[in-house]
Amino acid sequence: MPKRYQGIIDAMEEGVLLINRKLRIVLHNKRSAMILAWADELDGKDLKSIINSSDLIKAASAVFAGKNSERLTIAVYEGVCGPDAFTKGHGREKTIRIRITSLDEKLAALAITDITKIERLSLVRQDFVSNVSHELKTPLTAITGFAETLTDETLTREEIRGFSRIILKNSSHMQRIISDLLLLTSLDRAEIEPSMTTTTDTRIFQEVRSYTQHKANAKETEVGYFPVDKNVTCNESLIVQAVANLVLNAIAYSPDRSEVEVHTKIRNGMMEISVTDHGVGISKEDIPRIFERFYRVDKARSRESGGTGLGLSIVRHIAIIHSGTIKVSSKPGEGSVFTLSIPLS
Ligand SMILES: Nc1ncnc2c1ncn2[C@@H]1O[C@H](COP(=O)(O)OP(=O)(O)OP(=O)(O)O)[C@@H](O)[C@H]1O
Ligand SMILES: [Mg+2]
């Protein structure tokens, strides 16, 4: 084939393979080798030895038997070359979509697209919708139930007051979920172009204290603040919200009369704010998951304390839009350290 044509198919976003009636590859582009994680020469190889899928062989045979085209989606496992490259158990899974089109009676073309990311995104979206529905359903069921009970005319004043309080608690929980979700969405879309001002860690800590002191008092927790009084350029209210979330967690996931410390360190042009507690800690398996929306290690306990499971995911978003990071180190039964780092300017 002329070099020009090879250049054209190499420039394509889709992987392309041409196969003959014997289902041997006669031509391929660079992208196809990338998608198939195939380092060696593909031309001349048996299609079966490259993509080990009986569905694919069936579809290809159907095209040579007279069908115009066939489409299929298959799960493959990347990272290994060879006949078992796409057999379960090797490397990471990915999903590819293949369209086979008949060119003439001797040749067919395979267009291959890697749809792993799109698939994952759509899974995340489905999970998210079902999580939100579930999280809203629980308080809503309580509200409906107790509102119904309130219509009973024989209730005493005390009972009415009690049920109303439950309704109020659940509706404010729903309000929190919704406002947290709205904040997350706007952070996601970077709608909040973080309007940066220069402030100091001392001021940030003062604000954090005013937001969190009532919770600390309620649990008789001693929260110590140790600023270095250094300037930092950030969206102050977002950073206050992030640190306050960390402090509230430190208080919530520690026993009563515990101690929490909030320190600042300056390192490599970054301001590192760390929140240390001596609470329940987090297991290794849970650490990567706690920043996911709605993830809670102990669902019952967190819901009891009015948690939505969105706090840390908000913190992570705030770190990201500041080009910063959030890290955690923790030992179950001993406590946790959450460190938020943001550039000084
Ligand atoms: N300092 C901590 N110590 C132990 N576990 C923690 C700590 N911080 C967070 N976690 C765990 O991570 C989970 C997620 O925290 P996150 O702040 O996102 O949600 P939440 O505290 O349950 O609810 P909220 O949205 O009200 O903050 C918590 O449910 C808890 O299990
Ligand atoms: Mg929290």
Side-chain angles (χ1 to χ4, degrees):
M1 162 153 102
K3 253 194 171 148
R4 242 190 327 166
Y5 294 139
Q6 183 70 46
I8 292 171
I9 69 161
D10 276 343
M12 285 174 69
E13 283 279 323
E14 273 184 319
V16 176
L17 296 178
L18 283 193
I19 53 168
N20 64 17
R21 288 193 80 89
K22 288 185 179 151
L23 308 191
R24 266 183 196 285
I25 297 169
V26 295
L27 181 81
H28 76 280
N29 70 347
K30 283 194 180 131
R31 181 79 187 132
S32 65
M34 253 168 75
I35 295 176
L36 300 172
W38 195 270
D40 298 338
E41 181 56 51
L42 280 168
D43 294 358
K45 291 252 159 50
D46 193 354
L47 182 64
K48 226 188 313 188
S49 71
I50 308 289
I51 306 175
N52 186 7
S53 153
S54 53
D55 288 347
L56 176 66
I57 303 307
K58 240 186 260 161
S61 309
V63 165
F64 280 113
K67 250 192 140 176
N68 254 344
S69 71
E70 282 273 328
R71 272 166 199 277
L72 71 161
T73 302
I74 43 184
V76 296
Y77 299 83
E78 68 179 320
V80 179
C81 295
D84 62 348
F86 299 108
T87 316
K88 203 168 179 139
H90 295 290
R92 261 177 46 222
E93 185 173 347
K94 60 175 160 181
T95 309
I96 59 175
R97 185 175 290 158
I98 303 181
R99 194 178 65 243
I100 312 173
T101 314
S102 159
L103 297 180
D104 53 37
E105 68 271 19
K106 284 191 197 140
L107 287 176
L110 273 68
I112 306 173
T113 323
D114 185 347
I115 57 163
T116 316
K117 269 200 191 129
I118 303 170
E119 272 239 313
R120 241 170 243 158
L121 272 180
S122 108
L123 273 182
V124 166
R125 209 167 293 140
Q126 280 168 19
D127 268 7
F128 181 64
V129 171
S130 90
N131 278 339
V132 172
S133 318
H134 178 77
E135 295 296 331
L136 290 175
K137 203 174 146 207
T138 315
L140 191 59
T141 309
I143 293 171
T144 319
F146 285 102
E148 218 171 87
T149 321
L150 273 182
T151 59
D152 179 350
E153 281 165 17
T154 63
L155 292 177
T156 64
R157 266 178 173 278
E158 206 35 58
E159 282 171 327
I160 293 176
R161 209 172 292 139
F163 295 151
S164 306
R165 240 181 251 131
I166 297 175
I167 292 176
L168 209 62
K169 186 178 149 207
N170 280 284
S171 44
S172 55
H173 183 64
M174 283 179 81
Q175 251 162 11
R176 263 204 60 202
I177 296 179
I178 290 167
S179 63
D180 279 358
L181 279 175
L182 287 174
L183 174 64
L184 264 178
T185 318
S186 61
L187 289 172
D188 241 356
R189 290 208 202 113
E191 260 171 18
I192 302 185
E193 173 58 28
S195 60
M196 304 287 199
T197 53
T198 300
T199 177
T200 63
D201 55 339
T202 312
R203 282 202 31 201
I204 292 171
F205 289 179
Q206 271 162 4
E207 288 285 303
V208 169
R209 182 196 283 275
S210 74
Y211 275 115
T212 57
Q213 200 53 40
H214 64 289
K215 285 269 181 214
N217 291 343
K219 283 193 74 170
E220 296 176 55
T221 302
E222 196 70 52
V223 185
Y225 291 91
F226 305 93
V228 290
D229 203 27
K230 182 98 178 158
N231 278 351
V232 58
T233 303
C234 64
N235 180 306
E236 193 186 69
S237 71
L238 288 180
I239 294 299
V240 167
Q241 182 158 1
V243 180
N245 272 338
L246 297 178
V247 171
L248 289 173
N249 279 348
I251 298 169
Y253 305 107
S254 299
D256 288 2
R257 286 178 285 282
S258 191
E259 278 172 17
V260 171
E261 294 114 55
V262 187
H263 285 272
T264 313
K265 240 192 221 153
I266 307 296
R267 205 193 330 227
N268 303 329
M270 306 286 275
M271 177 174 277
E272 301 181 354
I273 299 174
S274 63
V275 179
T276 307
D277 68 54
H278 309 280
V280 295
I282 307 156
S283 72
K284 238 200 229 134
E285 300 79 59
D286 283 313
I287 284 186
R289 305 212 52 196
I290 54 175
F291 295 96
E292 291 172 17
R293 292 169 188 194
F294 295 118
Y295 189 79
R296 287 165 294 204
V297 177
D298 182 344
K299 287 226 170 225
R301 184 190 168 129
S302 162
R303 196 172 284 134
E304 186 57 35
S305 65
T308 63
L310 292 170
L312 285 178
S313 129
I314 291 175
V315 175
R316 193 175 69 92
H317 272 78
I318 293 174
I320 290 171
I321 64 172
H322 278 86
S323 311
T325 57
I326 172 78
K327 297 212 168 94
V328 53
S329 72
S330 184
K331 265 207 180 133
E334 287 185 24
S336 315
V337 185
F338 282 82
T339 307
L340 172 70
S341 307
I342 52 167
L344 283 172
S345 55

